[in-house]
Amino acid sequence: MKKLLHMATFGVLAATGLLQAQVTSPIMGFLTLHLQEGTNFIGFALLPTMEMQSSFNISPTDRKIVFLQGGPNLSLADNQFSPGPLATHAVEIVSSGAGQGFTSIVTATLAAGNQLTLQEEVPAGVADGASLKVWRLWTLADVFGADNSAGLAGGETPGQADLILLPNSTGFDKYFYSTGGAQGVGWRQVDGGTTDQADVPVFVSEGAAIIARAAKSVVVIGQVKPGVTKVSLQTGNNYVANLCPVNAAGEGASVEGRTLGNSGLAEGMAGGTASSLADLVLLWNGSGYDQYFNSTGGPLGAGWRKVGAGSTDQSSVPLPDGAYIILRRGAPVMITLNQGSF
């Protein structure tokens, strides 16, 4: 199995300089994206910065609107977490209960009432007084450097450069570092002209891909997102990041690493007595995909099975350190991923 990242030793640091209503101690670490020549599925098990933690109340007329509670020590500024057309921050509900692990992009910030507007509604069952965190999102410049200090292959055309593929509703948006020519110098979108793309965000729990012209390594430093994470699966292919900060196999393997069996996937995905009836987990093997599903009985028995491998139990198969694909056959659904205790 292709190894894309490796977590190093963590250190616990005091949360200083954060605008917050509650005290937190983020767990810091770094990961290395080990890119091989060709296609690499990546995901970030670390987030850049947790900027606030607070209790909140929900608007009685619109569950996309929340009001942060923190007394005189908490005072938002207009547009603080939504300064422009591109998303910069997301909230995560951290209170135990039905909404724990829910994340949503912040689309508006108002100083009046310490108000945040979210892209999605706060889930039913979450009540006033629950707690959330505000996370800053990764951008292309954060991860790879505004001037490509990470050392991806650049070029005057996309055909000369490493390509970063971020999923959209129909496929991928493709980005590269332009070294000059018709598109100028800087981060650019394929067929996107000279518009600077350095601030394009990478969303929480979203996987991505890099097509590398040659093998290389990229180091990313950030904070661990503890607790469970809710992921919205749309009908069709979904690119999901493995947010667990330690490996289940390979160098530095830990019992806290995520496998098919301990990931929580079986509780949210549709199972079936045959792979054609079930949602699939697709793991890249370097040249194609190994396909897995949760068998609910029949000739293959119950549990995780690999397509073409009979009734052999696959629950110990590790999730890749980067990202994987979930093929959802039915209507959209929200699932909860268990990423270990940190």
Side-chain angles (χ1 to χ4, degrees), residues 157-208:
T157 67
Q160 300 169 332
D162 293 345
L163 297 179
I164 301 168
L165 282 63
L166 301 182
N168 58 36
S169 59
T170 59
F172 292 96
D173 294 321
K174 301 177 182 180
Y175 302 90
F176 73 106
Y177 189 79
S178 176
T179 56
Q183 290 193 260
V185 176
W187 290 105
R188 300 293 186 262
Q189 184 172 2
V190 175
D191 298 325
T194 59
T195 302
D196 181 33
Q197 306 290 343
D199 292 331
V200 166
V202 180
F203 297 111
V204 177
S205 79
E206 186 174 80

Side-chain angles (χ1 to χ4, degrees), residues 7 17 19 34 38 51 67 91 112 121 143 183 216 232 238 242 247-248 277 304 309-310 318 320 322:
M7 274 306 301
L19 175 62
H34 295 295
E51 296 193 355
F67 303 96
V91 301
E121 291 185 349
V143 177
Q183 290 193 260
K216 57 182 64 70
S232 177
N238 298 264
N242 181 1
N247 305 327
L277 303 174
W304 283 104

Side-chain angles (χ1 to χ4, degrees), residues 22-24 47 50 52-56 68 90-104 118 122-123 126-127 129-135 204 224-230 339 342:
Q22 300 172 10
V23 175
T24 63
L47 295 176
M50 193 276 289
M52 177 181 294
Q53 183 169 349
S54 173
S55 60
F56 65 93
L68 304 190
V91 301
E92 175 198 8
I93 295 178
V94 295
S95 299
S96 60
Q100 186 177 15
F102 167 82
T103 60
S104 182
L118 310 181
V122 174
V126 179
S131 295
L132 60 73
K133 292 179 179 179
V134 179
W135 292 95
V204 177
V224 173
K225 191 192 90 61
V228 299
T229 302
K230 290 188 180 298
Q339 58 215 44
F342 299 95

Side-chain angles (χ1 to χ4, degrees), residues 132-336:
L132 60 73
K133 292 179 179 179
V134 179
W135 292 95
R136 185 166 63 82
L137 300 175
W138 289 117
T139 66
L140 295 182
D142 287 333
V143 177
F144 303 106
D147 58 355
N148 189 27
S149 56
L152 296 186
E156 293 187 0
T157 67
Q160 300 169 332
D162 293 345
L163 297 179
I164 301 168
L165 282 63
L166 301 182
N168 58 36
S169 59
T170 59
F172 292 96
D173 294 321
K174 301 177 182 180
Y175 302 90
F176 73 106
Y177 189 79
S178 176
T179 56
Q183 290 193 260
V185 176
W187 290 105
R188 300 293 186 262
Q189 184 172 2
V190 175
D191 298 325
T194 59
T195 302
D196 181 33
Q197 306 290 343
D199 292 331
V200 166
V202 180
F203 297 111
V204 177
S205 79
E206 186 174 80
I210 294 179
I211 300 176
R213 306 297 172 185
K216 57 182 64 70
S217 296
V218 177
V219 176
V220 179
I221 299 173
Q223 295 181 13
V224 173
K225 191 192 90 61
V228 299
T229 302
K230 290 188 180 298
V231 175
S232 177
L233 298 182
Q234 303 303 307
T235 304
N237 288 333
N238 298 264
Y239 298 85
V240 181
N242 181 1
L243 293 176
C244 181
V246 294
N247 305 327
E251 184 181 356
S254 167
V255 294
E256 290 290 348
R258 296 298 91 182
T259 65
L260 290 174
N262 68 12
S263 63
L265 288 170
E267 286 70 37
M269 294 172 55
T273 55
S275 61
S276 60
L277 303 174
D279 295 343
L280 299 179
V281 176
L282 282 64
L283 306 184
W284 180 251
N285 60 27
S287 59
Y289 297 96
D290 294 325
Q291 302 179 44
Y292 300 88
F293 72 104
N294 182 33
S295 176
T296 55
L300 299 180
W304 283 104
R305 300 294 184 261
K306 181 179 179 180
V307 175
S311 60
T312 302
D313 178 50
Q314 305 289 338
S315 60
S316 63
V317 170
L319 293 180
D321 297 331
Y324 52 96
I325 297 174
I326 296 178
L327 172 59
R328 171 67 177 169
R329 298 192 187 278
V333 66
M334 185 80 73
I335 66 172
T336 301

Side-chain angles (χ1 to χ4, degrees), residues 30-66:
F30 72 86
L31 58 84
T32 303
L33 304 178
H34 295 295
L35 305 179
Q36 307 301 314
E37 182 179 355
T39 301
N40 301 265
F41 284 93
I42 67 168
F44 301 113
L46 303 175
L47 295 176
T49 307
M50 193 276 289
E51 296 193 355
M52 177 181 294
Q53 183 169 349
S54 173
S55 60
F56 65 93
N57 292 336
I58 306 166
S59 168
T61 59
D62 186 349
R63 292 186 67 85
K64 291 183 179 180
I65 296 176
V66 299

